[in-house]
Amino acid sequence: MAEERSLNFIEQIVDNDIKNGVNSGRVQTRFPPEPNGYLHIGHAKAICMDFDIARRFGGVCNLRFDDTNPAKEDTEYVDSIMEDIKWLGYQWGNVYYASDYFDQLYDLAIRFIKEGKAYVDEQTAEQIAEQKGTPTQPGIESPYRNRPIEENLALFEKMNSGEIPEGAMVLRAKIDMANSNMHFRDPIMYRIITSHPHHRTGTKWKAYPMYDFAHGQSDYFEGVTHSICTLEFVVHRPLYDWFIDQFADSDYRPHQYEFNRLNITYTVMSKRKMLQLVKEGVVAGWDDPRMPTICGLRRRGYTPQAIHDFISRIGYTKVEGVIDVGLLEHCCRENLKANTPRVMAIMKPIKLIVDNYPEGQTEQLIIENNPDNPELGTREITFSRELYIERDDYMPDAPKSFFRLTEGREVRLKGAYIVRCTGADTDQYGNVTAVHCEFIPNTKTGEADCNRKVKSTINWVNIANAAEAQVRLYDRLFTDENPGIYEGDFHDLLNPESLQIVNGVKVEACLANAKPGDKFQFQKIGYFCVDPDSENGKTIFNRTVSLKDNNYK
RNA sequence: UGUCUAAUGGUGUAAUGGUAGCACAUCUGAUUUUGGUUCAGCCAGUCGAGGUUCGAGUCCUCGUUAGACAACCA
């Protein structure tokens, strides 16, 4: 690659840190998902950042599950997260869990108490919230703030032994109730959770650390140098640094950097809303092809390459914006274009009878799988007197701008003859039941008259050996460009036509053997991927993305 | 009426004090055995006002606008 894109702002920081010998010039990152949902394309952006920084600067990226809230977390998610990261093409150095550090964090909390930097508060959540103040008003101190150290120690131990019920007490850092940064107003370090066992430690612990008391410490324990996250954590950074400064015993420090999270038009990128869509059955599951989850995109037919291309094009900055979903689709087409066979599928079939082609006769034609990529080879298709074509490819009394079949007009049947339309049969209601045509001899590829000019080439499949398929046409889940910021109920914005199922689609015989995950271009229609729901004899195709919009239709 | 973060074509991003460039989208024309692709072209931008400088998108000041933050979530 001759042209090298410029470094993004975080890569520049890492580059400078190495030059300046910060943390001995070491680079260590981590991807820290909470195992409480499936990864989505926003996570993919973070994954690419964390892993690519490590790869590019000769460091390591570890996987760390931020599992400090047993009420929300589950091993189901751990497994899917690992699968999705691997699918994107990355391999972590080590797998860590924040829960691995529960002992260390507990000891650290005790140290904070002993140093007079933490206290047990037994007010209700509401009282604590009230005393927190507002951004423009300082908070007020808890009446328990100056409890003797020995009492704090004893109560904290009880918080974790099960003697104190959930919600009755918390451990708070004693910092500054008037700080302009709300996160410094005596943040909660530990809370009690007894209603849900932890997915790894079971019921061993009753008190669990909060994010702010766990994340930075975990980074420190592991030796992370660059702790990269999204912009909403900017306000947490001073606290991240503060906690570490209280106990760090060397010059080494992890540093947090933040980039803009990914928003895409016509979709939501919040785990909470996605979970809601799944639970309410609005979509069929986390891997529903309409979901922006990694597994959803995979099932939809997106490739890791397409996702990487997309991520590299959108870049990393500190500006919050919304990416046009059209860019994602562009990257997908771009990747699939040369890598998928192009086949013929007829969505709304109507019979085409070639009246001057002998009844009972067939011929095998050789057709390229992808004219843009000869490596994909060729295949055989069967031509005969009776074919299926798209109903929309015939129009009686068509205007001049219609390039396809109408009485007297000629089109090419893709990979076969040029035919002239001679008319159509209609039923008693005037509906077209079959189209008639005559083929023009010597117009097949390579034959004498093959260069005869026609306005259009249309798709067809042979009736006798066509395979039948179900096609699932997916569209955007929301009708609004930015459903994420809609103030009302987001159900209002759901697109009722986000899934359209088409049965009775006629496809080339060769597709009868297609396997889940196989990808094709249905010529003139779009890119399709075989769905795992397919059964023997009933192939289901998901539309990954349509071809760019036609001028006509 | 707090703190923090940011502001470059419609959208996303680059230019690291020295020619404002790229991509997507839109539109136009050519090519095409996909009304796809490809190729060529058009349109279109530094939030505002001062200042520093030979020179400012970039540095400084003051505005304006937008977003984040007041979970026992992460």
Side-chain angles (χ1 to χ4, degrees), chain A residues 413-534:
Chain A
L413 297 177
K414 174 73 184 178
Y417 298 94
I418 290 172
V419 297
R420 181 187 304 113
C421 181
T422 53
D425 300 334
T426 52
D427 64 15
Q428 53 185 322
Y429 307 107
N431 300 315
V432 176
T433 53
V435 179
H436 289 268
C437 70
E438 291 176 342
F439 81 98
I440 300 166
N442 301 319
T443 54
K444 279 192 298 185
T445 307
E447 292 185 333
D449 298 328
C450 75
N451 289 325
R452 186 178 175 114
K453 287 293 167 212
V454 289
K455 284 278 199 184
S456 184
T457 297
I458 67 167
N459 291 331
W460 57 275
V461 299
N462 185 45
I463 289 182
N465 64 350
E468 187 149 325
Q470 179 187 92
V471 164
R472 297 177 178 174
L473 299 174
Y474 297 102
D475 199 355
R476 43 188 63 141
L477 242 187
F478 294 91
T479 53
D480 188 87
E481 195 166 78
N482 205 341
I485 59 169
Y486 181 62
E487 309 244 324
D489 182 350
F490 73 82
H491 292 83
D492 303 345
L493 306 178
L494 283 169
N495 176 9
E497 291 170 353
S498 62
L499 168 59
Q500 216 179 318
I501 294 178
V502 185
N503 285 301
V505 173
K506 307 292 184 182
V507 298
E508 288 183 36
C510 67
L511 292 183
N513 304 318
K515 303 200 167 33
D518 285 355
K519 298 171 177 63
F520 303 90
Q521 182 193 120
F522 286 179
Q523 212 130 210
K524 295 191 172 203
I525 303 171
Y527 294 94
F528 291 79
C529 180
V530 179
D531 191 87
D533 282 353
S534 298

Side-chain angles (χ1 to χ4, degrees), chain A residues 58-278:
Chain A
V60 65
C61 178
N62 296 310
L63 174 60
R64 182 178 72 234
F65 290 98
D66 238 341
D67 56 350
T68 56
N69 184 359
K72 290 186 175 178
E73 295 148 9
D74 199 282
T75 45
E76 171 200 358
Y77 300 119
V78 170
D79 298 338
S80 78
I81 286 168
M82 295 202 275
E83 183 189 353
D84 288 347
I85 295 171
K86 283 192 230 166
W87 182 73
L88 285 171
Y90 292 111
Q91 183 56 57
W92 49 85
N94 290 304
V95 180
Y96 295 125
Y97 293 82
S99 51
D100 290 339
Y101 310 127
F102 281 173
D103 281 297
Q104 279 178 85
L105 291 168
Y106 187 80
D107 291 346
L108 191 56
I110 286 175
R111 174 171 163 185
F112 270 66
I113 295 172
K114 286 180 174 168
E115 292 177 0
K117 293 171 181 167
Y119 62 96
V120 172
D121 196 338
E122 48 193 282
Q123 298 181 100
T124 63
E126 292 70 30
Q127 285 171 315
I128 291 174
E130 273 174 34
Q131 292 167 4
K132 201 125 201 173
T134 69
T136 51
Q137 285 178 314
I140 57 172
E141 296 183 352
S142 164
Y144 301 97
R145 198 170 197 261
N146 295 310
R147 208 193 265 287
I149 288 173
E150 289 310 318
E151 204 176 310
N152 282 320
L153 248 18
L155 284 174
F156 184 50
E157 199 179 314
K158 285 184 180 173
M159 277 175 62
N160 193 44
S161 66
E163 289 172 64
I164 311 289
E166 183 166 322
M169 292 184 192
V170 292
L171 181 71
R172 298 177 74 180
K174 191 194 283 190
I175 310 182
D176 175 12
M177 288 306 290
N179 201 290
S180 59
N181 184 333
M182 301 288 290
H183 294 276
F184 274 76
R185 321 249 263 223
D186 289 9
I188 292 169
M189 295 164 62
Y190 267 84
R191 80 296 212 187
I192 301 166
I193 299 173
T194 51
S195 52
H196 296 77
H198 189 276
H199 73 115
R200 295 183 75 237
T201 61
T203 56
K204 178 181 175 192
W205 300 88
K206 309 289 187 278
Y208 293 91
M210 297 284 290
Y211 168 84
D212 284 311
F213 193 67
H215 197 93
Q217 279 81 328
S218 302
D219 284 345
Y220 185 87
F221 298 154
E222 290 169 9
V224 168
T225 56
H226 301 265
S227 183
I228 306 166
C229 59
T230 45
L231 250 19
E232 64 267 34
F233 292 97
V234 168
V235 282
H236 292 253
R237 189 184 345 117
L239 186 55
Y240 175 102
D241 292 333
W242 187 86
F243 273 130
I244 293 173
D245 285 341
Q246 303 313 304
F247 70 89
D249 52 9
S250 72
D251 286 341
Y252 152 70
R253 286 288 186 287
H255 288 283
Q256 176 180 304
Y257 301 97
E258 312 87 9
F259 63 85
N260 58 342
R261 62 182 297 156
L262 174 61
N263 297 301
I264 299 180
T265 54
Y266 300 103
T267 193
V268 292
M269 208 68 81
S270 108
K271 270 199 254 184
R272 202 195 95 244
K273 284 174 185 162
M274 288 184 204
L275 179 63
Q276 208 178 332
L277 291 169
V278 171

Side-chain angles (χ1 to χ4, degrees), chain A residues 272-300:
Chain A
R272 202 195 95 244
K273 284 174 185 162
M274 288 184 204
L275 179 63
Q276 208 178 332
L277 291 169
V278 171
K279 282 195 167 163
E280 292 172 358
V282 173
V283 295
W286 285 99
D287 69 342
D288 186 293
R290 290 166 292 184
M291 293 283 275
T293 49
I294 304 295
C295 53
L297 289 165
R298 177 165 61 228
R299 186 168 177 181
R300 174 97 170 228

